[in-house]
Amino acid sequence: MDFASPMESRRTQLAARLPDALDDLTGPVAGEVELPLHLAWSGLRRFDLGRPRLRMGMYRIVITEGMQEDLVRFLNAQVLVELWPVLRTLVGPAVRQVWEASFPDLAVAAARSSAA
């Protein structure tokens, strides 16, 4: 029998949650967002997107915990690309690899940032 490694299984699960295209992420770019309990079950649930640390924290939670409908509802493609060079350091390697493999714009943003 051929079993997938735990890391490969995690990547498969992560990839299944992603939208078809980065442009499908049409979430808010400003204002306050309150995450549902299934995403933010302990601690802060309300995030002011005008505050960079809170915006980054919300994106980290949604990327690591959210299902496809959460990603589309709460994330915005343009904001994600802007945040990605730092955000990619706050998520695990499986998350980073799956997102960058699925959405080359994120890998480009990271490379551009490291070259600067």
Side-chain angles (χ1 to χ4, degrees):
M1 255 184 186
D2 186 27
F3 292 100
S5 71
M7 182 64 112
E8 195 56 42
S9 179
R10 171 90 169 121
R11 285 188 189 114
T12 301
Q13 291 171 347
L14 289 167
R17 297 182 345 204
L18 296 180
D20 293 332
L22 202 56
D23 289 340
D24 292 345
L25 303 177
T26 58
V29 296
E32 283 199 1
V33 173
E34 184 171 345
L35 294 180
L37 282 173
H38 72 272
L39 290 176
W41 58 88
S42 71
L44 190 63
R45 289 186 53 215
R46 186 175 291 265
F47 299 85
D48 180 351
L49 298 181
R51 297 181 60 191
R53 291 185 80 174
L54 292 178
R55 182 178 56 235
M56 186 73 71
M58 186 199 85
Y59 269 65
R60 185 188 61 76
I61 290 169
V62 175
I63 284 173
T64 58
E65 304 297 332
M67 300 306 290
Q68 186 176 49
E69 49 276 0
D70 300 314
L71 301 173
V72 171
R73 178 178 174 196
F74 295 111
L75 302 181
N76 178 276
Q78 182 179 348
V79 173
L80 178 60
V81 171
E82 291 170 11
L83 296 178
W84 190 253
V86 173
L87 184 58
R88 70 188 302 274
T89 68
L90 304 175
V91 298
V95 173
R96 182 173 47 251
Q97 292 164 2
V98 166
W99 278 79
E100 289 181 356
S102 299
F103 307 117
D105 289 351
L106 297 178
V108 169
R112 197 175 296 136
S113 175
S114 66

